[in-house]
Amino acid sequence: MKNFSISLYAFHLHHTLTDAPSEVVADANLLWENLAKLGENCFPFHGLKDLRSKLICYQNGKYDTKREQGRQTEWLTDSGSVDLGSLATTEGFKINANLQPFLLNDTYAADLTIFPESPNISIDVPQLQYFQTTQLLPSNIQASLGQILWIYGEVDPNENCDALADKFAVALVAGTNLNPVRINHEEIFGSLLFEYQANEPNELDNHTKQCQICIVINNIQSPTIQLAEKAYDWLLNLLCSHHKILSIYHQARQRYKEARALYSYLEKNIQEFNNLISKTETQIYDLQKLLSEIPQNSLDYTRCLQDLQTHYTAINTNITNYRTCLEKITAINSGDSPKSWENFLDKDCKKLQEQIQTDINYLSPAQDLFGQMVDTIRGLVETEQAERDRSLENTIQILGIGFGGGAIASGVFTTHIDKINLPLVQKHPLYASLTLSIIATLVFIVLGWLITKRK
């Protein structure tokens, strides 16, 4: 391939809806840190090594986002793209690199492009080693929203482009456990477009671990570069929206799984509650224990549902952005665009929207059930506690009447015991007085019980 270039487009979350205007996510600077590490280790472009000094989100080598706030441009530099310098190869030519860093609303976007010093230098698989493509894979870049490797090259009309694209796709991930699979073969800006997907075997459901590869081969001298430059902003935002849609959906599925676990917990609590109230004598301790656990789980469940609703809104917004970008690219491309991109919008996005809405509809009724269960248990606990308090109050009244009346009777018996003209009493006046006092106390206890029962 001549006029060869390879671009890494990486997208990393900057902040979320829950972050304050001056706050960012915990690892917001991870993309820039990993790019700088490439410069410090295996990719010694001097500009990449000193990347922190060129970005406005770093002050004196430390990550600081103050200058980002209120900025009218998406650029993260004061002077546009960053020339990273050049590296010599053992074949006598140099490779150059530049970086275009952006902040697209809530997302950091990096365009790292590497190319030979002259467009006339032919690049084949053996020369690909100088571009250190395995260092640009997701495991090293760790972009939280995903990334894509984009190759462009020009060949003669008689070149077997299918075989060439497959050969380059395999060479890009050589030495890794990734296996690129072609998923689309179309056209863009007058050139052939080959799309590949290379997934981590153990991370098939995590799109951030997947390596997406686009190989564009110009075999008829189409003005592809000029059209791509004209559509650059729209193309970058379309790729960003694409990765955000997939990322949002992945997050939504994670929250759905968490909500399902809480839903299952609720069902078990309902069964436990039914078992408790079916007992002849419900233990208030068991109800209080149940009541202490449910509110936290109810709050967690509500947050899961709220996050799903937020994800639904976010995915709709990004689908709208994707549609706008695709329309602009189509207009620049003389009314044509890759069919797979249109299918993603018309079919895949619709399916993702419907799935999240279905999850919300499925989980929403249980939100009220959590609240109703808490109210029911709280009412039973309060009723049971009131009954116990009332019983204790009655017991205290009965014992008060009994012991009070017994004490009075005991005083009377002690004072007048000598007037009881019975031989047994006269012989044992102390025991007789005690016995009569006990009998009187029991009588008053019975009297107190009758009075409280009548109340």
Side-chain angles (χ1 to χ4, degrees), residues 390-402:
R390 189 179 300 113
S391 176
L392 179 60
E393 181 183 345
N394 290 342
T395 300
I396 293 173
Q397 288 181 350
I398 292 170
L399 293 177
I401 293 173

Side-chain angles (χ1 to χ4, degrees), residues 77-124:
T77 63
D78 292 322
S79 56
S81 63
V82 180
D83 182 3
L84 301 178
S86 61
L87 296 176
T89 68
T90 57
E91 294 192 22
F93 67 89
K94 294 181 179 180
I95 57 174
N96 300 334
N98 65 52
L99 176 71
Q100 299 186 77
F102 303 98
L103 175 58
L104 307 178
N105 297 317
D106 62 352
T107 302
Y108 278 140
D111 170 3
L112 173 63
T113 299
I114 310 165
F115 52 94
E117 60 181 339
S118 170
N120 296 321
I121 296 175
S122 181
I123 301 297
D124 205 343

Side-chain angles (χ1 to χ4, degrees), residues 257-287:
K257 291 179 182 178
E258 294 171 14
R260 280 296 306 272
L262 291 168
Y263 186 93
S264 176
Y265 170 83
L266 174 62
E267 289 292 336
K268 292 178 181 178
N269 279 344
I270 291 175
Q271 184 60 47
E272 183 180 351
F273 173 69
N274 289 334
N275 293 336
L276 284 175
I277 63 175
S278 65
K279 293 180 181 179
T280 306
E281 188 173 324
T282 303
Q283 296 295 322
I284 191 171
Y285 171 78
D286 295 329
L287 287 174

Side-chain angles (χ1 to χ4, degrees), residues 192-235:
L192 301 175
L193 170 64
F194 301 88
E195 292 187 65
Y196 297 84
Q197 192 78 33
N199 298 336
E200 285 278 359
N202 299 325
E203 298 280 356
L204 296 179
D205 295 330
N206 188 352
H207 85 282
T208 62
K209 302 293 184 180
Q210 300 168 0
C211 181
Q212 186 180 0
I213 301 169
C214 285
I215 299 178
V216 179
I217 301 178
N218 188 345
N219 63 343
I220 57 173
Q221 295 184 342
S222 296
T224 304
I225 292 180
Q226 293 81 357
L227 292 173
E229 289 177 350
K230 188 177 180 180
Y232 179 81
D233 290 342
W234 300 113
L235 182 60

Side-chain angles (χ1 to χ4, degrees), residues 9-14 31 74 102-110 144-148 150 207 212 232-248 314-315 317-319 321-322 325 329 341 344:
Y9 298 105
F11 306 97
H12 192 82
L13 190 63
H14 176 268
L31 175 59
E74 295 174 336
F102 303 98
L103 175 58
L104 307 178
N105 297 317
D106 62 352
T107 302
Y108 278 140
S144 63
L145 298 178
Q147 67 171 68
I148 180 172
W150 187 290
H207 85 282
Q212 186 180 0
Y232 179 81
D233 290 342
W234 300 113
L235 182 60
L236 182 67
N237 277 277
L238 179 134
L239 296 175
C240 181
S241 296
H242 177 269
H243 283 87
K244 288 176 72 174
I245 289 168
L246 296 178
S247 178
I248 292 167
I315 204 169
T317 300
N318 282 280
I319 289 172
N321 293 340
Y322 185 95
C325 294
I329 293 171
W341 295 7
F344 177 77

